[in-house]
Amino acid sequence: MRPVQPTRPVLLVIAHGSRDPRHAATVHALVRRVRSLRPDVRVETGFLDFNVPSVHGVLETLAAQGVRDVVALPLLLTRAFHAKADIPAVLREAPSRLRVRQAEVLGPSPLLLAALERRLHEAGLSPAEKSSTGVVLASAGSSDPEAIAVIADIAREWWHTGWCAVRPAFASAASPSGFPRTEDAVRELRALGCERVAVAPYVLAPGFLPDRITRGAAGADVLGDVLGAAPEVARLLVRRYEEACRPALTALGA
């Protein structure tokens, strides 16, 4: 007997995947935190590459179980290639009996800025040191103009919250953004006269590019951890899910 379709759509968290086992472990820890926030929602995880289960496999399983409504939530910080091309292509291959809606990517959001600050404080930076600290906002990198503009906007917004300075940086060397690499941004902030320099990885899980950020942060005073399963990130996933659900739930009278 097939299970009864839940009142609320299933939340399918879509992660990129990585050969680095820390990546999947971090994604699963975040999903567990989301489940704890919303025990009334069925939450599944699918990966685009390298890890199992695949997104396609999860969708096939859900359809076979009689599920009808799914919210696919990209575990991405900006709307770049994966959000605009890869994920929509995979979702178009979902079984026809599934109604699948793609939620918005996570960023930008004040919750992500709060998570970045949490990670820096956990790494030893005192809130009282904020005004004398320069921060490198270190992201993986992108060639997408929209994603590049978003990272620049986030750096400006975060600087206005009281930091000495905030510099965006990319871990990937080849980029049309004009952003420096992490190590170069650290040196820029030293030259600017900031008393201390902190590196805040604007990435969700460990992997090749986050490790490059770590190496580039060798000259900094403080290095924050990846965002991972920070409470603010879990709350943001729930918010994006609820935003995607709103039209359907309104139609159901929820």
Side-chain angles (χ1 to χ4, degrees):
M1 181 177 178
R2 290 178 175 177
V4 176
Q5 165 71 18
T7 302
R8 294 185 174 275
V10 170
L11 169 57
L12 171 58
V13 177
I14 300 179
H16 182 273
S18 171
R19 292 186 179 90
D20 189 324
R22 298 172 299 168
H23 176 93
T26 301
V27 171
H28 290 311
L30 175 58
V31 169
R32 285 194 296 271
R33 178 156 259 168
V34 172
R35 288 190 182 116
S36 71
L37 292 175
R38 290 301 301 269
D40 59 321
V41 175
R42 178 176 175 180
V43 185
E44 300 291 342
T45 309
F47 294 91
L48 291 173
D49 206 354
F50 301 117
N51 302 105
V52 293
S54 68
V55 175
H56 180 74
V58 174
L59 291 171
E60 290 281 354
T61 298
L62 292 174
Q65 293 175 345
V67 171
R68 290 293 177 263
D69 290 302
V70 177
V71 168
L73 200 165
L75 200 58
L76 299 169
L77 297 174
T78 59
R79 288 192 75 253
F81 181 78
H82 293 305
K84 295 176 179 178
D86 282 357
I87 292 176
V90 172
L91 298 181
R92 282 195 295 270
E93 297 175 355
S96 59
R97 53 193 175 275
L98 285 179
R99 292 187 292 267
V100 182
R101 278 161 287 163
Q102 183 175 331
E104 289 295 327
V105 298
L106 300 181
S109 169
L111 285 170
L112 291 174
L113 294 182
L116 287 168
E117 296 207 12
R118 170 188 290 276
R119 292 307 191 213
L120 291 178
H121 296 159
E122 291 170 347
L125 185 68
S126 165
E129 296 171 323
K130 185 171 183 175
S131 62
S132 56
T133 300
V135 180
V136 178
L137 179 68
S139 63
S142 176
S143 59
D144 185 283
E146 181 181 354
I148 292 169
V150 166
I151 296 298
D153 287 344
I154 291 170
R156 281 191 292 269
E157 179 182 349
W158 204 18
W159 171 55
H160 287 304
T161 67
W163 296 100
C164 174
V166 178
R167 291 287 186 273
F170 276 174
S172 54
S175 170
S177 68
F179 294 166
R181 294 176 302 170
T182 304
E183 52 267 41
D184 297 326
V186 169
R187 286 192 287 268
E188 285 181 18
L189 291 172
R190 292 281 188 213
L192 190 64
C194 298
E195 288 185 19
R196 65 194 59 78
V197 176
V199 173
Y202 192 62
V203 293
L204 285 163
F208 175 75
L209 289 176
D211 283 349
R212 183 178 285 179
I213 290 172
T214 297
R215 293 192 296 272
D221 301 294
V222 177
L223 170 63
D225 198 359
V226 298
L227 295 170
E232 296 85 358
V233 179
R235 285 163 48 204
L236 183 54
L237 262 71
V238 171
R239 179 176 296 179
R240 294 291 184 253
Y241 168 78
E242 291 173 342
E243 290 168 352
C245 283
R246 214 162 278 152
L249 293 179
T250 300
L252 291 170

